[in-house]
Structures are given as structure tokens and as C-alpha cells.
Amino acid sequence: MRTRSVMALNPLGLHRVVYHEWGSADNERVLVCVHGLARNSRDFDALARALSRDYRVVCPDMPGRGESDWLPDGVAYDIPRYMSDMVTLLARLDVEQVDWVGTSMGGIIGMCLAALPNSPIRSLVLNDIGCFIDKAALQRIAQYLGDHRFSSVAEVEQYMRRTYSAYQGLDDEQWQHLAKYGHRRIAEDQYGLHYDPRIAEQSAAVQDEDIDLEPFWRQVSCPQMLIWADQSDVLREATVTRMQQIRPDMDLYRIPGMTHAPSLMEAEQINAIQQWLRDNRVNN
């Protein structure tokens, strides 16, 4: 794994976006993997290792998460900012097209980029996110975000085990990996989660309105795979049906009995993404 960074512009200055790479730097096939709202790039370590045989895999920490800079006060954490940062990243990578895997928020960013004219997104894998998110799901997410404090990394791990019900299939080593990269040390014997608490404040401010992305979804013309955890409150069955109606050629990978959002750390999930990307390369 190689760790690099790129400076991105915001209205008050510049901020550093850190990204991790796997596979050959000369590989013209580039896969970008983008994490969810309160997550970070190291969620994709297992997926990146598996796919690095086929791709140059690039996993950024979005601003305010992981090793990337927090945005200055007065600059919003929002989708237009993330899109701009990802275009900056793609320019640094010096590639014209990429395949994209996005979990939740990362899928929204990918969908919005794929909807643009002259989009660099060649194919799109959406992990448990669709063209409509109702406010009840946003309110649930807002409840677990915040400036949580812990006395040990073990406490961080226990918090994650309680919070991320979709990750029940992970083993102890994988949970330890999530806790290792999902915490930040604040002071002696005091730890927090590895994101800017201001993200929680901004999420709470928009939790009372549904998010309708159908106009963007209608503009997405690249090949798509939708991963659906069929007990998800973020991606409802009605939304999946609507997305299929708009894009009948969309491939659906349904995970029975799982809640939001699949970790993409389990072998079956990794294999499904790997096979779809390979098939898509052959057919296109």
C-alpha cells in the first residue's frame, strides 16, 4: 500500500486529502473506492487487496475523516465539496476514466459525478444507497454521530460492534482493524472517533428532509451494480424498484437479512464486486 495526498481548494484556503493506493501505479485500470459518512478509507483494505491484481485501487479519506484535513469553520461538509475534491484527486491520478465503488455517502458522490456531462465514471457500484433516502433513516444516522469519547481503543471497538449491525459477519481481527483506523487519540487515556464532530452537527441540521436524487439517477448512463442490504432503512425496496424502472439494465446484488450498510469486507461481498467488474470489462 502507498499513501499519498493532494491539496484541494476550499473557499478559505487549501486542505489535504489523503489517499491510499494498491496495485501497480502504471495500471491504466483505476478503481476509486469511497467510504460512508462516518467511515474512512481503511474500510476498503480487504477489497483493495483483492482487486489490486486487476486494478490500481485508490481509496481516499474524505475531508474531515481519517488522515485527511478537517475543513475550516465556515466551510460546509457537503456533496458539492466532495465532488470537487474527487475531481482534484482524479486530476492528480492523471486518468480519464475510473470505475467507482461507493458506500452510502461515497455512492452518492459517485452517482452525482456519473450524472455529469463528460463524466469520468466508467462504471458504478453503489453499496446500499439509492436515488431516495427518507428522513427517518437520516434521523437514525444523526443519532449515532457525535463527539463520542472513550477511555481505550477496546471501548471504541465495543461501540462499533453495538453501532454497526451490518458488520456482524466480521471476525475479531476485522473488528480490531476497524477500531484501529476508526479512532483518534485526543489526550492521555481519551479517544474519539476518526472524524470531525462538526460532520455530526451538519448532519443533524438536514435530518428533517428527504433526499431525492432521482434527477441525478436519470442522468447516469454508465453500467451500474446496486448492492442492496434488504433490511436497510436507507435503501428501501420501493427505491430499488424505482431505480430498476429507470435503469432496467442495472445489475442487482441482494443481501438477505442485512441492514445498512454492508462492510464489503466479507469474502462473498468482495467476490461479487470482483466478478461484476471483470464481467463488465469483458462485455464493454
Side-chain angles (χ1 to χ4, degrees):
M1 185 187 78
R2 305 176 298 277
T3 299
R4 298 195 169 113
S5 65
V6 63
M7 300 302 292
L9 184 66
N10 67 68
L12 298 180
L14 295 166
H15 58 276
R16 188 173 63 109
V17 176
V18 172
Y19 59 97
H20 307 287
E21 284 192 63
W22 286 258
S24 171
D26 297 325
N27 193 340
E28 294 181 355
R29 296 181 176 181
V30 177
L31 176 70
V32 176
C33 302
V34 182
H35 58 77
L37 180 65
R39 304 300 311 145
N40 64 78
S41 63
R42 304 307 298 270
D43 289 359
F44 294 112
D45 279 13
L47 180 67
R49 279 194 296 268
L51 295 177
S52 63
R53 294 188 292 271
D54 300 325
Y55 283 95
R56 174 188 181 191
V57 185
V58 178
C59 305
D61 282 326
M62 299 307 294
R65 289 90 166 171
E67 297 179 52
S68 289
D69 288 346
W70 292 7
L71 294 176
D73 289 342
V75 177
Y77 288 102
D78 57 22
I79 298 300
R81 167 68 41 222
Y82 304 145
M83 292 172 66
S84 175
D85 286 357
M86 291 302 93
V87 170
T88 298
L89 173 61
L90 296 185
R92 160 61 63 85
L93 298 177
D94 193 23
V95 292
E96 294 185 2
Q97 284 194 318
V98 298
D99 296 292
W100 188 283
V101 174
T103 293
S104 198
M105 179 193 77
I108 294 176
I109 299 166
M111 187 190 310
C112 292
L113 285 172
L116 295 175
N118 303 314
S119 173
I121 309 299
R122 199 198 68 83
S123 71
L124 179 65
V125 178
L126 299 173
N127 182 21
D128 208 49
I129 195 68
C131 64
F132 183 84
I133 307 104
D134 69 45
K135 62 184 179 183
L138 299 175
Q139 290 165 356
R140 178 190 63 79
I141 292 169
Q143 287 175 357
Y144 75 73
L145 294 174
D147 192 10
H148 302 288
R149 301 297 171 97
F150 309 92
S151 62
S152 68
V153 178
E155 279 191 12
V156 174
E157 181 183 331
Q158 290 306 311
Y159 167 82
M160 290 181 171
R161 286 178 182 261
R162 292 192 304 271
T163 303
Y164 297 117
S165 60
Y167 293 7
Q168 337 182 333
L170 302 186
D171 60 29
D172 289 345
E173 185 177 350
Q174 289 171 313
W175 281 111
Q176 290 161 12
H177 174 90
L178 291 175
K180 177 180 179 180
Y181 294 106
H183 81 273
R184 56 190 171 91
R185 187 171 181 174
I186 298 171
E188 186 74 23
D189 297 326
Q190 189 176 55
Y191 302 84
L193 298 175
H194 219 326
Y195 60 82
D196 183 349
R198 200 158 58 87
I199 292 169
E201 298 170 10
Q202 295 191 5
S203 298
V206 298
Q207 65 178 322
D208 294 325
E209 295 184 9
D210 299 331
I211 296 177
D212 184 4
L213 299 171
E214 185 172 316
F216 294 92
W217 182 244
R218 288 184 172 278
Q219 297 303 313
V220 176
S221 58
C222 67
Q224 316 106 23
M225 175 186 183
L226 178 63
I227 301 172
W228 175 34
D230 71 3
Q231 297 304 303
S232 173
D233 61 343
V234 174
L235 181 57
R236 303 278 192 183
E237 184 173 4
T239 303
V240 174
T241 301
R242 183 61 178 157
M243 294 173 75
Q244 289 175 313
Q245 290 171 343
I246 297 171
R247 289 282 173 259
D249 56 344
M250 179 187 75
D251 291 305
L252 179 65
Y253 170 40
R254 179 175 182 168
I255 306 178
M258 184 168 283
T259 57
H260 182 78
S263 66
L264 307 189
M265 297 172 70
E266 298 185 41
E268 183 179 336
Q269 298 166 17
I270 292 172
N271 291 339
I273 294 171
Q274 185 173 44
Q275 191 60 53
W276 185 82
L277 288 169
R278 285 177 174 173
D279 291 347
N280 187 54
R281 278 285 179 184
V282 171
N283 296 331
N284 293 279

